[in-house]
Amino acid sequence: MNAPAATERRELLTGVLLAGAGAIAFSCKAIIVKLAYRYGVDAVTTIMYRMLFALPLFLTLSWWAGRNQPAPSAQDWRTLFGLGFCGYYLASYLDFAGLQYISANLERLILYLNPTIVLLAGKLLFKTAVSRSQWLALGLSYIGVLVVFGHDVRSGPDIALGTMLVFGSAVSYALYLVYSSQIVRRLGAMRVTGLGTTIACFLCIAQFFILKPPSAMIVAPEVLWLSVLNAVLCTFVPVLITMMALERIGAGITAQIGMIGPMSTIILSILVLGEPFNAWIAVGTGLVVAGVWLLARARMRQHS
């Protein structure tokens, strides 16, 4: 085997492993948040501690990605603030709030609708054409979520509230993806992610002190350790290694490997949280994953 071919195979394998690890690490977020809620904290406190511990990491990323680069313009900062507010602050808060009411499984399936929401946003905002296969993918994904929701909603009305909050999170992050492309091309994905998330960290910390007294910072030690784990393992690390995977194997393969996310959430929710697994969850997950896979395949064909 010649050296270039060996190097190419090694890069491919490394990219696949990084993409898989990023998907699994990001999926752990819901598990850790649900564990923290067992110690009597709410969404405002949980997200504050997550972002407090993540702040130094994203400040460092912002500095590293911006070395020897011109400073962002005033317009860039306005755009970054909007993206940080929509894509990281609002999306994170709605997600954490929704997890107070619904299972980790349903939360992950709703967030997994993100590519379909991006497609619909492009259709509504920019009149982007949607093919028949893409409409089929959309239909399968949403039917899958409705299957799980229809089963879980019998547990009480709070399921509907939690579902709406998490779906709002998915919409908020989809809008971030739709509107971030131009500034990402100008400043780079790492820099935009670092600066946008840093802004969101400050917003989440400020929200806590606006809504709660300083004494509310006193929480169980377990909440602090879970928040550190959430900030590092489920926030910073997935961002970093997913970007590294994108450089090696491209967006299409990275997105397809990311489909292991819902599967890993199901396994972890059963093993760690003791959440039930039934035929409704199996069918719903299968439909959502099938829909997102069809959508990813259609996009790859468009760019091939």
Side-chain angles (χ1 to χ4, degrees):
M1 183 182 298
N2 57 45
T7 301
E8 184 177 342
R9 290 188 63 181
R10 187 166 55 250
E11 285 290 292
L12 176 62
L13 177 61
T14 302
V16 168
L17 292 175
L18 287 170
I24 293 171
F26 187 74
S27 296
C28 290
K29 175 200 64 179
I31 308 299
I32 292 175
V33 172
K34 297 289 278 187
L35 287 173
Y37 286 161
R38 293 179 176 180
Y39 295 95
V41 292
D42 61 5
V44 173
T45 304
T46 307
I47 197 172
M48 182 276 292
Y49 270 117
R50 175 207 191 193
M51 294 307 215
L52 181 66
F53 292 126
L55 179 58
L57 300 174
F58 283 107
L59 281 172
T60 303
L61 178 63
S62 302
W63 166 80
W64 184 85
R67 292 171 304 158
N68 304 319
Q69 300 293 324
S73 66
Q75 178 58 43
D76 287 337
W77 280 113
R78 286 191 290 270
T79 302
L80 286 167
F81 182 86
L83 294 176
F85 177 88
C86 181
Y88 295 107
Y89 161 71
L90 184 60
S92 295
Y93 174 70
L94 292 174
D95 181 30
F96 277 48
L99 274 168
Q100 295 177 118
Y101 307 109
I102 64 175
S103 68
N105 285 325
L106 181 54
E107 182 259 6
R108 176 53 40 198
L109 290 183
I110 296 169
L111 291 184
Y112 211 62
L113 293 175
N114 190 266
T116 71
I117 299 171
V118 171
L119 183 66
L120 288 173
K123 173 70 174 176
L124 294 173
L125 297 173
F126 306 111
K127 310 302 181 185
T128 305
V130 179
S131 68
R132 181 179 299 178
S133 62
Q134 288 174 322
W135 282 120
L136 174 62
L138 287 170
L140 283 175
S141 296
Y142 284 89
I143 289 172
V145 171
L146 287 174
V147 166
V148 180
F149 172 77
H151 175 264
D152 288 2
V153 76
R154 292 178 292 181
S155 302
D158 286 346
I159 301 297
L161 173 60
T163 298
M164 288 189 292
L165 288 169
V166 176
F167 186 75
S169 170
V171 171
S172 183
Y173 191 71
L175 291 175
Y176 158 80
L177 293 175
V178 169
Y179 285 106
S180 64
S181 58
Q182 186 175 5
I183 194 170
V184 164
R185 284 194 295 269
R186 190 162 62 251
L187 299 182
M190 284 283 195
R191 197 177 185 192
V192 170
T193 299
L195 291 171
T197 310
T198 296
I199 290 168
C201 288
F202 283 114
L203 290 172
C204 290
I205 295 167
Q207 174 184 255
F208 175 86
F209 287 104
I210 290 171
L211 298 177
K212 292 180 175 292
S215 60
M217 291 188 71
I218 302 174
V219 296
E222 292 85 353
V223 174
L224 297 179
W225 286 113
L226 287 168
S227 297
V228 171
L229 193 61
N230 199 350
V232 178
L233 178 65
C234 308
T235 305
F236 182 74
V237 169
V239 167
L240 201 59
I241 63 178
T242 300
M243 290 292 182
M244 294 167 65
L246 283 168
E247 291 177 353
R248 287 166 170 80
I249 59 177
I253 300 177
T254 300
Q256 289 190 332
I257 294 170
M259 292 173 192
I260 67 174
M263 308 304 178
S264 61
T265 301
I266 288 174
I267 295 170
L268 289 169
S269 67
I270 295 170
L271 296 178
V272 179
L273 300 177
E275 290 186 356
F277 179 77
N278 52 48
W280 296 98
I281 295 174
V283 171
T285 301
L287 288 170
V288 172
V289 171
V292 175
W293 179 79
L294 285 173
L295 188 58
R297 190 177 68 169
R299 285 182 174 176
M300 290 179 70
R301 284 178 175 175
Q302 288 176 352
H303 295 289
S304 62

